[in-house]
Amino acid sequence: MIRKIFLIAGENFSGWHRNVRIWLTFALGLVLCLMLSEQMLSRAQTYETPVQMFEPFIWTFGNGQSVLLSTLLLLILFADMPFFDQTAPYRLVRMERGIWLAGQVLYVALAVAVYDLFLLIAEALIAMPFAYGGNVWSETSAAFAYSGEGLLGVPVSLKTMEISTPYGCMAQVFLLMLLYSLFLASLMLFLNLTWGNAAGVLGALLVNLYGYLLDPELIRQIFHIPSGVLYRANVLCGWLSPLNHATFPMHNFGYDYLPGIGVSAGFFLVCTGLFLGLSVSRMRKYNFIFAQVEE
């Protein structure tokens, strides 16, 4: 059974080299990294100070809007889930539906990991001319944090620098991105099996839009919330928004009531497991329709 699951996942990966959507997704991911890291690296040149090699990734994807943009590219990868290609009828005849679906789920999980790892490596390579590998925060980040320039586009947090190290912080940011991406992918899979391919894309877009609208700063600007109430709004948004659960600064580091990293990880794991369980249930009743090609 395990061999069959890996066989299905491997077949999906085998078509990557000739799939335009795959090339487009990773090309756009590289462009996104270049755009989002430009401000920090230009400041590094201005200050004439180096950066820690993972700092561009940490500060770039420590922002909810950047996480949102990166996950939107996953819609290109997974819009056609659960991947009914020419071999699907043959595979479904020779194996159980649950095994076939497990292979698709394994493929999605590995593809998400490859995509997020690509973003991490791309950011590190972009920063390479200005970077060092030590596990110490750079003077560039300190300049952003103490001057307040991070508020203008690079979310450098002085508190984050005080309580963590670059490698540890990078691992947590990567974990949150990965779990959020898996959560969206599992949601898309369930919606696609229930209402068709367009439903998965629409559902993922709505979840991202919901998370974007639950941004504390955006809510403050729209409703003119006074500063005394803003903290409560920030805490409420941190708990209610999946996107904020995937955003590193929107967590409790021992001095507020925001969710902890472990709580957010558990939230994503439970939701992902729930949607996968619903997908398995839906798969048992799914009616496959394959077009017949006349020779």
Side-chain angles (χ1 to χ4, degrees):
M1 181 179 70
I2 296 178
R3 177 179 173 276
K4 292 180 179 179
I5 292 174
F6 277 91
L7 177 63
I8 294 297
E11 285 184 346
N12 288 336
F13 277 112
S14 66
W16 271 33
H17 66 283
R18 59 178 181 273
N19 193 325
V20 177
R21 291 187 297 105
I22 303 299
W23 290 98
L24 178 62
T25 300
F26 283 90
L28 291 176
L30 179 59
V31 172
L32 180 66
C33 290
L34 288 168
M35 293 175 57
L36 295 177
S37 61
E38 188 275 334
Q39 184 177 0
M40 183 174 193
L41 296 181
S42 65
R43 287 296 190 278
Q45 291 179 297
T46 301
Y47 293 135
E48 296 184 351
T49 54
V51 297
Q52 206 281 339
M53 63 183 300
F54 292 121
E55 283 181 347
F57 175 81
I58 293 170
W59 303 131
T60 293
F61 294 103
N63 179 283
Q65 295 183 12
S66 300
V67 175
L68 185 151
L69 291 173
S70 69
T71 54
L72 285 179
L73 295 181
L74 290 175
L75 301 185
I76 304 175
L77 275 179
F78 303 138
D80 58 342
M81 282 195 296
F83 315 113
F84 298 131
D85 56 15
Q86 295 178 351
T87 65
Y90 171 76
R91 294 297 179 190
L92 287 166
V93 170
R94 296 178 60 87
M95 64 180 63
E96 297 178 3
R97 290 186 175 195
I99 294 177
W100 182 83
L101 182 62
Q104 305 296 350
V105 170
L106 177 62
Y107 162 72
V108 169
L110 293 176
V112 167
V114 169
Y115 171 74
D116 286 341
L117 188 61
F118 170 80
L119 296 181
L120 171 63
I121 294 175
E123 288 281 13
L125 291 177
I126 292 170
M128 192 65 69
F130 317 98
Y132 61 89
N135 195 21
V136 180
W137 297 108
S138 69
E139 295 180 11
T140 304
S141 289
F144 271 103
Y146 283 105
S147 67
E149 290 185 54
L151 299 176
L152 300 178
V154 182
V156 177
S157 168
L158 181 60
K159 189 65 177 180
T160 299
M161 296 173 63
E162 291 175 346
I163 65 176
S164 65
T165 60
Y167 284 96
C169 189
M170 176 272 295
Q172 294 180 78
V173 172
F174 181 83
L175 175 65
L176 292 173
M177 280 186 61
L178 179 64
L179 292 177
Y180 182 62
S181 300
L182 290 173
F183 159 71
L184 286 180
S186 64
L187 172 65
M188 290 178 63
L189 176 61
F190 168 67
L191 294 177
N192 282 0
L193 288 173
T194 305
W195 290 294
N197 289 357
V201 173
L202 180 61
L205 288 174
L206 289 177
V207 169
N208 277 323
L209 177 61
Y210 167 74
Y212 174 76
L213 293 177
L214 276 184
D215 178 79
E217 184 62 25
L218 181 62
I219 292 178
R220 184 190 67 81
Q221 295 176 3
I222 294 176
F223 297 102
H224 305 287
I225 297 177
S227 57
V229 185
L230 184 60
Y231 172 74
R232 295 182 181 179
N234 185 70
V235 172
L236 190 62
C237 292
W239 281 96
L240 295 180
S241 168
L243 181 60
N244 286 332
H245 276 286
T247 306
F248 182 76
M250 293 295 293
H251 287 86
N252 179 5
F253 299 109
Y255 60 94
D256 54 31
Y257 296 101
L258 289 167
I261 297 292
V263 172
S264 294
F267 167 76
F268 286 130
L269 289 173
V270 169
C271 290
T272 300
L274 175 63
F275 285 125
L276 291 179
L278 292 173
S279 296
V280 171
S281 177
R282 185 68 186 88
M283 188 70 178
R284 295 170 182 168
K285 305 175 183 178
Y286 189 82
N287 294 321
F288 292 93
I289 300 175
F290 300 103
Q292 183 176 357
V293 180
E294 297 183 358
E295 296 183 357

